[in-house]
Amino acid sequence: MKIKIFALTHKKFEVPQDKMYQPLQVGREEKEDLGYLCDNTGDNISAENCYYSELTGLYWIWKNVHTYKYVGTCHYRRYLLNEQEKIFTEAEYLKLLKDYDLITTKRVVLNNSYHYGFATNHNIHALDMTGEVIKELYPEYYDTFVQLENGTETYFGNMIVTSKKWFDTYCEWLFHIFFEVQKRICLENGEDDYHKRVFGFISEFLLLVWVRVNHLKVYECKVGMLGEKAETREMKEQLASYFFSMDVFGAKTYFAEMLKKRPDVLMEASDITGELKLSMQIIATMDQELQRTGHCYLRKENRFRELITLFTRLNAVIRAYLSGQVTEEDRRFLIEQSVSETAVKVGVFILPISAEQKKKLETEILKDLNA
C-alpha cells in the first residue's frame, strides 16, 4: 500500500474492512489497552493527550511512521467522504492526490469571527498566546493568522490526507508552536476534561492558516458519521436506566453532570439522532410535572425507546399547530396519549420563535387539549 489512514480512537469501534484504515489508540499512556496500535510507543506525547486530544496521534504518525508515501487521519466514527458520500478507497485517494496537495474537511463558516467564538467557549489566552508565538517563531504566518482569526472560517476535526512529506512539514510547524505556547500558559486552570483539550481545538484553525500561507491546493470533502459517539450511546443507556426506575432526580442530576464534563455531546456531530436533546426535554417535562402535581408520565410509560417515540410525535404535532396544518389525528394523539399541559408548555418553550408566538401557540394547543 502507498497510503495509510489512521483512525484515531479512544474507544473500541467497528473498524472499516478496507485495510487502508488503521486504528490508532490515542492517549494510551493513561488508558486501558484496546488492542490496537497505540500512540505511547517510540517517540510520543501520549501522556499529554488531555491537552492535545487527537494530536497525540498526529505526533506519533509524524515521528514513527516512515513506510508510506501518503498518510492521513480520520476518527473512529468520522470519515472523509467521496462524492457518492462513501468512505474513500485507496484508489480514490491516490487519484485525488495526483492533483491536490491535501484532502480535508469542508470549511466551517461561523456566525461570528473565529476569535469571538473561541473566546466564548474556550480559554482565549491560549489562542492569543499562539498568535504571539507565531509572530516570534514564524513571522511570515502572522498576518494570515490575524486575518483568519478575525474571519469566519475554519477547518474541523484534524482530518487530513496528504503526502508524508507535507504531513511532516505541517507537524513540525504545528508542534514547534504548541510546545512553546505550553511553556507560557497554565493548562491546569480548573477546566473540565473537554475544555482542557485546547491545542486540539486551536489546531483545527491553524490548519487553515498553514494551508493559506503555503498556497496548497486543497480538496475539501464532506464528513460522514459511522455510528454514534461512544459517550452519546453510554449516556442514553444510563438515562434509560433512570427512566425505567422512574428516577427523575437521578436522570436530571446525571444529565447535568455529564453536560458539564462533555458539553460537546449535544452538538449535532455527537447527538446525530437528536435523542439526547429529546431526553433533556423529557427530563424537564417530568421534573415540572412532579413539581406541579406530584406525579409524572413515567408512571404510564418508562421505557426509553417508547418515550423517544412519544416526544418525537408530540414535537411534530406542536410544529403542525405552528404551521397551521394540524389534523384531527394530531388532536386525537394529544388526548389518547394523555399529554399533560406541562408537556405542551415545555415543547412550545424550546421552539426558536418569539415569546408572543409561543404564548399564542400554547393557548391554541391547550384549548384543544382541554376541550
Side-chain angles (χ1 to χ4, degrees):
M1 276 187 161
K2 294 182 179 179
I3 184 170
K4 182 66 74 173
I5 309 297
F6 293 88
L8 310 175
T9 187
H10 63 292
K11 296 281 186 179
K12 276 281 190 180
F13 71 108
E14 187 174 343
V15 182
Q17 293 183 354
D18 191 330
K19 298 300 182 183
M20 174 179 64
Y21 292 95
Q22 169 70 59
L24 175 61
Q25 183 180 351
V26 295
R28 166 66 182 90
E29 187 65 19
E30 300 173 348
K31 299 291 190 301
E32 174 189 0
D33 187 353
L34 300 177
Y36 301 137
L37 192 65
C38 299
D39 72 347
N40 66 335
T41 61
D43 188 348
N44 73 87
I45 56 169
S46 181
E48 303 285 295
N49 182 261
C50 59
Y51 310 122
Y52 285 86
S53 194
E54 65 270 359
L55 292 184
T56 60
L58 272 72
Y59 183 93
W60 187 90
I61 297 166
W62 170 34
K63 293 295 187 179
N64 300 284
V65 175
H66 307 292
T67 57
Y68 299 98
K69 183 176 181 180
Y70 301 102
V71 295
T73 55
C74 61
H75 294 243
Y76 71 95
R77 65 184 201 96
R78 289 182 182 175
Y79 298 82
L80 298 177
L81 301 182
N82 61 22
E83 292 183 357
Q84 290 72 46
E85 299 194 354
K86 306 286 187 181
I87 63 174
F88 281 99
T89 63
E90 179 184 19
E92 290 170 330
Y93 271 133
L94 292 177
K95 183 178 180 180
L96 282 172
L97 289 166
K98 289 180 180 179
D99 299 319
Y100 294 90
D101 298 310
L102 183 137
I103 304 168
T104 188
T105 65
K106 288 186 179 295
R107 278 163 289 167
V108 175
V109 179
L110 309 170
N111 293 325
N112 298 289
S113 72
Y114 179 81
H115 188 277
Y116 176 87
F118 196 92
T120 301
N121 297 290
H122 304 289
N123 177 8
I124 192 59
H125 182 56
L127 179 62
D128 291 342
M129 183 57 71
T130 298
E132 290 300 311
V133 169
I134 288 175
K135 188 176 182 179
E136 294 176 22
L137 300 182
Y138 299 100
E140 67 274 22
Y141 285 83
Y142 184 66
D143 287 347
T144 302
F145 173 87
V146 173
Q147 176 190 354
L148 291 178
E149 76 166 343
N150 288 295
T152 58
E153 292 183 324
T154 183
Y155 287 126
F156 76 96
N158 287 311
M159 291 180 282
I160 61 174
V161 180
T162 187
S163 68
K164 186 60 164 61
K165 179 181 178 181
W166 274 124
F167 188 92
D168 290 353
T169 301
Y170 171 61
C171 286
E172 182 176 9
W173 175 81
L174 183 71
F175 287 104
H176 189 196
I177 293 167
F178 282 160
F179 290 162
E180 184 59 34
V181 173
Q182 189 170 359
K183 297 174 184 177
R184 304 186 188 187
I185 66 173
C186 177
L187 292 170
E188 289 295 336
N189 53 7
E191 292 184 326
D192 56 57
D193 291 343
Y194 175 76
H195 289 97
K196 279 183 181 179
R197 295 160 17 189
V198 62
F199 296 125
F201 293 122
I202 298 175
S203 61
E204 296 175 316
F205 166 70
L206 288 189
L207 176 62
L208 182 59
V209 175
W210 184 74
V211 161
R212 289 284 176 85
V213 174
N214 287 284
H215 306 290
L216 297 191
K217 189 176 181 181
V218 179
Y219 185 88
E220 298 181 354
C221 315
K222 289 183 178 180
V223 174
M225 306 292 177
L226 302 186
E228 279 190 321
K229 198 168 188 175
E231 290 82 0
T232 304
R233 184 181 66 252
E234 291 165 4
M235 276 190 70
K236 291 199 296 187
E237 290 172 353
Q238 186 60 51
L239 288 170
S241 177
Y242 281 118
F243 291 158
F244 193 75
S245 301
M246 294 186 285
D247 184 359
V248 177
F249 177 78
K252 179 181 177 181
T253 303
Y254 170 76
F255 202 103
E257 290 175 349
M258 289 302 298
L259 195 56
K260 184 177 180 180
K261 293 178 182 177
R262 295 297 303 264
D264 58 317
V265 295
L266 286 181
M267 295 178 180
E268 289 185 3
S270 299
D271 186 22
I272 57 177
T273 64
E275 290 178 353
L276 280 184
K277 287 188 178 70
L278 270 176
S279 296
M280 188 162 57
Q281 180 182 348
I282 293 169
I283 293 169
T285 300
M286 303 304 167
D287 185 47
Q288 290 190 32
E289 284 179 348
L290 284 174
Q291 292 183 39
R292 293 174 181 177
T293 67
H295 57 83
C296 70
Y297 194 83
L298 286 180
R299 291 187 178 182
K300 180 178 179 180
E301 180 57 75
N302 62 352
R303 293 169 295 176
F304 183 83
R305 189 53 49 201
E306 283 69 17
L307 286 167
I308 291 294
T309 300
L310 174 73
F311 276 78
T312 299
R313 179 78 171 96
L314 171 61
N315 289 343
V317 170
I318 291 174
R319 289 193 297 271
Y321 271 96
L322 179 63
S323 64
Q325 297 178 335
V326 65
T327 65
E328 285 303 316
E329 183 181 352
D330 293 330
R331 294 186 176 95
R332 282 198 303 272
F333 166 81
L334 297 175
I335 303 301
E336 292 172 359
Q337 294 298 324
S338 303
V339 173
S340 68
E341 290 189 9
T342 298
V344 170
K345 290 178 179 180
V346 172
V348 170
F349 177 79
I350 63 177
L351 289 174
I353 57 178
S354 69
E356 183 179 351
Q357 288 176 300
K358 289 179 182 180
K359 184 62 177 177
K360 182 179 178 181
L361 179 60
E362 180 184 307
T363 300
E364 182 183 357
I365 299 174
L366 293 182
K367 181 180 177 180
D368 284 349
L369 186 64
N370 295 320

